[in-house]
Amino acid sequence: MADLDAVYYSRITSPVGPLIVGATRRGLFCLEFDSPGALLYRTRNNGHVWLFSEEKTAPFVRELREYFQGKRTRFGFELDLHGTAFQKRCWKALTRIPYGTTTTYAAIAKRVGRPRAFRAVGQANHCNPLAIVVPCHRVLQADGSLGGYGGGLEKKVTLLKLEGAIVN
């Protein structure tokens, strides 16, 4: 097996619950909320071999812990994004939302050159394999309401409070 086919993973605890951290030689491959069956779903028929390794995920875990401690506002590691061309454009636009600020689905749609595709942007957010690092929690509906979040609205609120984007 080529090392490029391997996804090294570990689990960490966080203020938003347990997370699965997965990395390849190219960068962070997944950061997902851990739930029953989550890893089984990820490892089934995706062309990768998943290997538990706290050593290989340590640089990512260190930066995530710094983020949760309020000591980091940007991540310095590479991302191994995998999705459609449109999804990748959306996710890259999300990484440009500054820490502690929010934007809207419509604004992201404009940023990726598809101003009427705000629902498609929402769907791309839903498929985001890098929760927190690709900060879809910073995206709100046009009226300022929270909208949805794959991890649940309570986690979205926790992350926005952690970043100082909302106070109450």
Side-chain angles (χ1 to χ4, degrees):
M1 170 197 67
D3 198 29
L4 286 176
D5 298 329
V7 177
Y8 300 97
Y9 76 94
S10 64
R11 290 181 165 94
I12 65 168
T13 58
S14 79
V16 289
L19 298 168
I20 297 172
V21 179
T24 66
R25 292 180 71 197
R26 292 177 294 277
L28 187 66
F29 181 79
C30 78
L31 179 60
E32 296 186 359
F33 299 102
D34 196 0
S35 60
L39 194 58
L40 180 62
Y41 168 78
R42 283 305 249 148
T43 59
R44 200 174 280 165
N45 300 319
N46 70 2
H48 294 83
V49 174
W50 288 67
L51 304 168
F52 183 81
S53 177
E54 290 178 337
E55 179 185 347
K56 298 275 189 181
T57 60
F60 307 98
V61 169
R62 179 182 48 76
E63 288 195 27
L64 287 163
R65 287 198 170 120
E66 291 169 357
Y67 166 83
F68 288 122
Q69 294 166 356
K71 297 177 182 176
R72 176 174 290 280
T73 61
R74 296 184 59 164
F75 296 100
F77 46 73
E78 294 296 318
L79 306 180
D80 184 3
L81 291 172
H82 48 96
T84 68
F86 178 75
Q87 287 172 329
K88 289 179 184 179
R89 282 198 324 269
C90 291
W91 299 335
K92 287 184 181 190
L94 294 176
T95 64
R96 293 184 195 104
I97 305 168
Y99 178 93
T101 64
T102 60
T103 191
T104 64
Y105 295 100
I108 296 294
K110 286 178 189 169
R111 232 174 266 157
V112 299
R114 303 261 317 268
R116 295 186 179 175
F118 52 90
R119 285 193 178 113
V121 167
Q123 189 59 38
N125 282 8
H126 178 73
C127 296
N128 175 9
L130 299 176
I132 303 161
V133 173
V134 174
C136 55
H137 61 276
R138 297 178 188 156
V139 182
L140 307 177
Q141 292 184 339
D143 66 1
S145 62
L146 290 176
Y149 189 62
L153 289 182
E154 184 177 303
K155 290 176 181 168
K156 185 172 188 169
V157 169
T158 299
L159 292 168
L160 291 172
K161 283 182 178 179
L162 174 84
E163 295 182 3
I166 59 174
V167 222
N168 295 334

